[in-house]
Amino acid sequence: MKAKQEFKVVPRFPERLLPLKKMAYNIMFSWTSEIRDIFQRVDPKLWTESNHNPVKLMSHVDQKRLDELANDLGFVSELEEANHRFDMYMNAPPLDSGKTCVAYFSAEFGLTTCLPIYSGGLGILAGDHLKSASDLNIPLVGVGLLYQTGYFQQYLNNDGWQMENYVPNDYDAMPVTQVLDKDGNQVKVYVRFKDRSCAVAVWRIMAGRIPLYVLDTDLGENPPDLRGTTSALYGGDKENRIRQEIVLGIGGLRALKAMGITPTVIHMNEGHSAFSALERINTLRQDHGLTFDAAKELVQASTIFTTHTPVPAGNDTFAPDLARGYFEDYAKELGISWPVLLGYGRVNPRDDSEPFGVTPLSLRLSAHANGVSKLHGLVSRHMWQAIWPRTPVEDTPIDSVTNGIHVSTWASREISRLYTRYLGQDWKEDPDPFHIWKHVNQIPLSELWRAHCHCRERLVAFSRRAFMKQLKRQGAPADLVQGAMEILSPDTLTIGFARRFATYKRATLLFSDPDRLAKILNDPQRPVQIIIAGKAHPADNDGKAFIKSIIHFSREERFHNRILFLENYNIHLASLLSAGCDVWLNNPRRPLEACGTSGMKALANGVLNLSVLDGWWDEGYGPDYGWAIGNGEVDPNQELQDLTESQALYNLLEHQVVPKFYGRTSDGIPVDWCEMMRNSIRDLMPRFSSHRMVKDYYDRFYTKSSDRWHSLSAQGFQAATEQAAWCNKLRTSWNDIAVTELKSDASGHEKLVGQSLLISATVKLGGLIPDDVTVEAYYGTMDHQGEFADRETLTLRPVKECGQGAFLYEGNISCVKTGRFGFTARVMPSREKLGNPLSLGLVAWA
């Protein structure tokens, strides 16, 4: 029988303790130890049982305990100080003068363990992006989805096979609140799924100064199948996926509008939010009467798209018939036909067999696109070059912004205290990371080592308790359960491997030669232990087989007490592992790791990386910072590459890693090892922090895109209308453009170092004028095949009209080094008039 009505009984908070309730609803506690310590002090046991959830803690704490704390002058004093710092942080003036408003869209956000609306690296990156935007006080709002069950909870059966458990989230007991309208009702918007309307509720999560608005379809007014749209992260079939992405992109824009928020910039974190660009166009048409072309120019100029995966399967596509059911009528609202909209989502718009892809759609509707490391940017340019068939791969308009991590979230308590002591009290919010991190040299090696040893001890203690729980749940014999409290050693070299169990990450590479591995791990003088964690996607049986294989290895007698797999990898476990291990192992198959931020989290704690030269480590590696497996080779024979790199891994462990760790001075400190720890923190942390990352986005993309938004929307959007007309003029006239003559003043085709080469190009512009185009010399060194080995560009200036629509352009190339060089010329739309001159795909070459 169900109750007729519901009510809640909550503790009565003494006035002195009211700041606790305020701070509980801001996930700033996840990166601010003084706030976290206060909540833990309220009730340490309940804090752990609540999964470090301050809202649940506050709703379940005993009234008697609250009354005791209200009379505890020490506690009240600490609370008042923390509240004062919290208020000062929250009320600091924003970096921007109010001109810029960035809306950051992502399908998942990894903010804290007690908000399970993330699965892995993409979500953690998004969460760290919000946290750094908060610390830097950048005007940004997040938009995501509020999943009823989030991502699955992982457990292993007795045979080591991954099982999934979906636990419903109780958002009444989590740091999330309803967004209310002026009448006190929760804000709701509506989206259409074919011929049906779906209501979407709006919630708010505060990440420091940054609001994250999350959307929820679990409403009684929705039919059951639509109500479950936001049930699980990456759950369901293709139809549910397209519905989720409609809620995120279209519903997200409508939610911002309902709250009176007009973003000047949209940042789409992966293609899941591609439909936000379409909805911005739709809104501009409905609210301001713009044509599709004019609205598209405005939207494209102020949209940033970040692609995260070099694996084709990671880029969502939908069958044309499925997409048509959801977007044919929407295309009419946009003012275009369905085939035209379908073409925006195809690499080749004329290929009727190609599905509708959100990545091509995102790329076509963004002025700025980027991969998440330099290598990934290169891989992405190769993957998507066909969208711009007249553009060489190296000029494909996909840049790179290497990911980073929010250091104060991932640095352990012990390491953070060292940073505060030697870098200064404000190191967490300093906008210049390169200035701050040079002071790491002041940290004594002995203090760094002691702090790290405490982290390893805590990891081992946690691992023993967690393994005991695993064994109890599996019904293991009592002696095995009791033996779990003796597993691992707090003094042994500890290797960590924790990540998503996609097969290209090669979790079993370390087990390629079990006999050799056993010899390394069981050296009586220099033992090694390995802790492994990670989830496979529920549909990835190959990834699950990798986990099972590792479990079976760990049960062999020779690996007893040396290999441990921990269930249910999450933020809390990640923080313990990335702080307590000595070596962070990463061995993906190059170049399939887009970035791989787990190694950066280890870096924040001085943990040394041992990795394939892929993702961020391809940029970060140096012999003073860690070790590289291989030299960046990519072998088409994957079995041979796996064999070669597994042997390289064993060699590094035997001859470099293990000896260096156990090379101790008389006081027990591995000085050479600690020097590497300090070097890596000092030199790499400023390059791979999310503060640097967010500043890169702000300086390179956000401000420029916001300026374009304001300039194109001025005077009743007249500039956008004129820009659309100009772009259409370019498209209709472009085939008339030709470089009819290209010359230089090189006598005998030679120049001396220090001289300059005068380039002249005669360009027929047809119906266009010089203000419409940018003419560039395209030059660089040549390889043995006559191809450009590298290239630079030089804008040529128009010097005279030659008649019949032709103009002479000139410029001087500086000859600063010797070698074999070549040049050509290209014509593009004006750099001055377009945020990205290659975005139209219009290029004419000599």
Side-chain angles (χ1 to χ4, degrees):
M1 177 183 291
K2 289 188 176 182
K4 191 73 174 177
Q5 294 185 9
E6 294 183 15
F7 65 97
K8 291 169 63 176
V9 178
V10 297
R12 182 181 65 258
F13 269 77
E15 188 173 349
R16 282 177 159 185
L17 302 187
L18 288 178
L20 284 172
K21 299 184 74 173
K22 176 178 65 176
M23 290 189 288
Y25 281 94
N26 192 313
I27 60 93
M28 192 173 158
F29 66 82
S30 70
W31 77 87
T32 308
S33 58
E34 65 176 340
I35 297 177
R36 199 163 53 244
D37 289 347
I38 285 172
F39 285 124
Q40 183 175 24
R41 191 170 162 187
V42 169
D43 188 327
K45 184 171 183 289
L46 188 54
W47 175 246
T48 301
E49 292 174 351
S50 69
N51 208 15
H52 303 159
N53 178 352
V55 174
K56 190 171 184 178
L57 173 78
M58 292 296 96
S59 63
H60 286 75
V61 66
D62 185 74
Q63 183 65 53
K64 182 180 178 181
R65 176 59 178 159
L66 288 178
D67 294 337
E68 288 175 357
L69 290 171
N71 293 308
D72 183 334
L73 296 182
F75 180 85
V76 171
S77 176
E78 285 184 29
L79 178 59
E80 288 175 349
E81 178 62 25
N83 184 52
H84 174 67
R85 289 181 179 274
F86 177 82
D87 287 342
M88 284 183 62
Y89 178 93
M90 294 298 293
N91 296 323
L95 175 69
D96 194 272
S97 60
K99 244 175 43 168
T100 302
C101 176
V102 181
Y104 181 88
F105 282 70
S106 182
E108 49 173 305
F109 285 90
L111 295 163
T112 183
T113 308
C114 67
L115 272 174
I117 55 174
Y118 65 94
S119 72
L122 176 70
I124 301 300
L125 181 279
D128 284 4
H129 194 108
L130 297 195
K131 292 174 183 179
S132 277
S134 175
D135 285 344
L136 299 173
N137 216 348
I138 286 174
L140 181 145
V141 301
V143 181
L145 299 178
L146 189 66
Y147 302 97
Q148 284 91 59
T149 59
Y151 204 51
F152 67 90
Q153 304 285 307
Q154 177 199 52
Y155 66 98
L156 305 177
N157 68 14
N158 290 346
D159 194 35
W161 191 257
Q162 173 184 290
M163 308 296 287
E164 295 89 32
N165 184 28
Y166 291 88
V167 179
N169 290 317
D170 178 8
Y171 290 110
D172 281 340
M174 291 182 175
V176 54
T177 56
Q178 295 182 354
V179 177
L180 305 179
D181 61 21
K182 57 182 174 52
D183 298 320
N185 300 313
Q186 187 171 17
V187 170
K188 285 190 293 188
V189 295
Y190 293 85
V191 296
R192 291 202 70 78
F193 295 150
K194 297 180 179 178
D195 58 345
R196 294 190 292 171
S197 176
C198 179
V200 180
V202 185
W203 301 71
R204 181 192 296 109
I205 298 166
M206 289 303 300
R209 301 165 176 136
I210 304 297
L212 166 61
Y213 298 105
V214 283
L215 311 173
D216 167 30
T217 60
D218 187 21
L219 302 173
E221 63 189 272
N222 289 328
D225 60 327
L226 302 191
R227 186 171 179 173
T229 299
T230 57
S231 174
L233 175 57
Y234 303 140
D237 55 14
K238 282 280 190 179
E239 185 149 16
N240 196 66
R241 176 64 66 86
I242 199 171
R243 288 176 180 173
Q244 285 189 344
E245 295 181 3
I246 287 170
V247 172
L248 176 61
I250 297 176
L253 251 296
R254 292 178 182 177
L256 293 177
K257 182 180 178 183
M259 293 181 289
I261 299 171
T262 303
T264 59
V265 179
I266 294 289
H267 185 169
M268 302 185 297
N269 189 43
E270 195 52 273
H272 309 117
S273 48
F275 302 142
S276 63
L278 296 179
E279 180 60 16
R280 285 181 92 199
I281 294 172
N282 193 23
T283 300
L284 288 167
R285 281 178 46 77
Q286 290 178 355
D287 294 353
H288 302 285
L290 298 185
T291 64
F292 174 84
D293 289 340
K296 189 198 74 164
E297 290 302 322
L298 184 54
V299 168
Q300 184 184 58
S302 57
T303 300
I304 294 104
F305 168 58
T306 298
T307 177
H308 282 265
T309 175
V311 182
N315 296 272
D316 283 348
T317 60
F318 302 103
D321 286 344
L322 175 62
R324 183 172 190 161
Y326 284 89
F327 282 98
E328 185 171 29
D329 288 340
Y330 190 79
K332 295 174 185 175
E333 292 183 38
L334 294 171
I336 56 176
S337 67
W338 163 242
V340 169
L341 179 55
L342 186 59
Y344 273 95
R346 286 172 162 165
V347 173
N348 180 359
R350 295 174 179 81
D351 183 356
D352 289 339
S353 66
E354 186 179 337
F356 181 71
V358 293
T359 301
L361 178 66
S362 301
L363 289 167
R364 284 200 169 93
L365 294 177
S366 303
H368 303 288
N370 68 278
V372 291
S373 68
K374 289 180 181 177
L375 180 59
H376 180 231
L378 174 63
V379 170
S380 298
R381 288 190 285 277
H382 279 274
M383 282 182 69
W384 303 107
Q385 186 266 340
I387 293 177
W388 299 274
R390 300 181 187 181
T391 303
V393 168
E394 59 269 22
D395 292 332
T396 298
I398 302 176
D399 206 335
S400 66
V401 176
T402 302
N403 282 343
I405 57 105
H406 188 248
V407 183
S408 54
T409 291
W410 295 104
S412 69
R413 179 189 306 274
E414 291 83 359
I415 297 294
S416 290
R417 285 174 179 162
L418 286 182
Y419 293 160
T420 300
R421 188 178 307 147
Y422 292 100
L423 276 60
Q425 187 69 39
D426 298 327
W427 68 269
K428 298 178 181 181
E429 297 170 53
D430 195 296
D432 183 0
F434 293 92
H435 165 73
I436 280 291
W437 290 100
K438 66 183 181 182
H439 297 297
V440 166
N441 265 350
Q442 299 177 24
I443 300 176
L445 296 182
S446 58
E447 289 191 41
L448 182 60
W449 180 244
R450 281 198 299 271
H452 177 66
C453 289
H454 282 307
C455 294
R456 192 189 317 110
E457 290 164 4
R458 184 164 58 248
L459 171 62
V460 168
F462 172 87
S463 299
R464 289 170 171 174
R465 293 192 302 270
F467 189 50
M468 175 180 276
K469 288 180 182 177
Q470 287 178 208
L471 292 174
K472 281 182 177 179
R473 183 187 46 73
Q474 292 170 351
D479 59 330
L480 280 181
V481 173
Q482 192 59 38
M485 294 310 291
E486 302 297 326
I487 197 168
L488 305 179
S489 164
D491 301 315
T492 294
L493 170 58
T494 304
I495 298 174
F497 182 96
R499 54 194 30 88
R500 186 165 53 92
F501 262 68
T503 51
Y504 75 84
K505 294 179 183 282
R506 299 190 299 182
T508 55
L509 188 72
L510 187 60
F511 301 89
S512 301
D513 186 340
D515 293 336
R516 190 172 180 185
L517 178 62
K519 186 178 178 182
I520 294 170
L521 300 189
N522 291 303
D523 185 317
Q525 302 303 317
R526 303 185 304 189
V528 179
Q529 59 197 14
I530 306 168
I531 303 177
I532 302 170
K535 297 177 179 179
H537 187 279
D540 183 5
N541 285 331
D542 290 336
K544 291 181 179 181
F546 273 19
I547 294 174
K548 178 181 174 180
S549 172
I550 291 170
I551 296 297
H552 282 225
F553 274 121
S554 72
R555 291 173 178 172
E556 293 183 21
E557 183 62 31
R558 56 182 170 172
F559 294 125
H560 177 67
N561 202 33
R562 289 286 178 259
I563 298 172
L564 178 63
F565 186 99
L566 293 176
E567 293 177 333
N568 206 33
Y569 187 45
N570 60 18
I571 287 177
H572 180 57
L573 178 53
S575 65
L576 290 167
L577 284 166
S578 59
C581 292
D582 301 295
V583 175
W584 197 257
L585 177 62
N586 186 36
N587 43 239
R589 183 170 285 115
R590 177 184 164 108
L592 299 182
E593 184 79 276
C595 186
T597 56
S598 65
M600 300 177 192
K601 300 176 181 75
L603 166 66
N605 292 283
V607 174
L608 301 181
N609 277 270
L610 169 60
S611 175
V612 167
L613 291 173
D614 199 7
W616 80 282
W617 195 236
D618 190 55
E619 299 169 46
Y621 166 69
D624 292 338
Y625 312 136
W627 299 273
I629 303 169
N631 296 303
E633 306 91 347
V634 177
D635 193 326
N637 184 333
Q638 293 185 354
E639 289 186 7
L640 180 59
Q641 183 169 358
D642 290 352
L643 176 62
T644 301
E645 291 181 347
S646 67
Q647 295 305 308
L649 172 56
Y650 293 136
N651 288 336
L652 285 168
L653 289 172
E654 289 172 337
H655 304 303
Q656 295 189 42
V657 178
V658 175
K660 191 176 288 287
F661 180 84
Y662 284 106
R664 307 295 172 94
T665 58
S666 58
D667 55 359
I669 297 175
V671 172
D672 291 345
W673 185 279
C674 292
E675 285 279 12
M676 289 180 70
M677 292 174 68
R678 191 165 63 181
N679 291 341
S680 64
I681 296 170
R682 180 195 63 223
D683 295 345
L684 299 185
M685 206 65 265
R687 293 170 54 193
F688 299 105
S689 76
S690 54
H691 280 26
R692 187 275 312 153
M693 175 189 72
V694 172
K695 278 285 286 179
D696 274 0
Y697 279 116
Y698 184 79
D699 294 338
R700 292 169 55 189
F701 300 151
Y702 291 171
T703 55
K704 293 174 183 177
S705 296
S706 187
D707 288 345
R708 296 284 296 169
W709 168 272
H710 287 294
S711 64
L712 291 174
S713 61
Q715 297 178 327
F717 299 92
Q718 180 180 343
T721 301
E722 292 173 353
Q723 178 98 337
W726 175 73
C727 289
N728 285 331
K729 181 179 76 168
L730 289 181
R731 292 187 183 97
T732 57
S733 305
W734 200 258
N735 288 336
D736 297 330
I737 291 179
V739 181
T740 58
E741 188 176 29
L742 181 63
K743 299 189 301 183
S744 77
D745 68 345
S747 174
H749 299 288
E750 286 187 354
K751 281 284 182 180
L752 299 175
V753 170
Q755 292 182 327
S756 62
L757 182 75
L758 176 65
I759 301 288
S760 63
T762 303
V763 182
K764 178 186 174 186
L765 295 181
L768 302 178
I769 61 174
D771 283 350
D772 293 328
V773 300
T774 294
V775 179
E776 293 180 333
Y778 190 98
Y779 66 97
T781 56
M782 311 299 292
D783 64 18
H784 67 283
Q785 295 179 320
E787 299 284 343
F788 284 108
D790 55 55
R791 88 282 185 263
E792 296 183 56
T793 60
L794 171 72
T795 300
L796 304 180
R797 61 189 182 279
V799 294
K800 69 175 181 179
E801 187 173 358
C802 304
Q804 298 183 325
F807 294 82
L808 179 67
Y809 286 79
E810 289 183 351
N812 289 282
I813 295 175
S814 297
C815 301
V816 296
K817 60 182 179 180
T818 59
R820 181 187 177 205
F821 292 82
F823 69 88
T824 185
R826 70 178 178 187
V827 186
M828 304 183 300
S830 168
R831 285 189 181 275
E832 298 297 319
K833 295 185 177 182
L834 276 179
N836 183 344
L838 293 171
S839 61
L840 295 179
L842 301 176
V843 184
W845 294 89

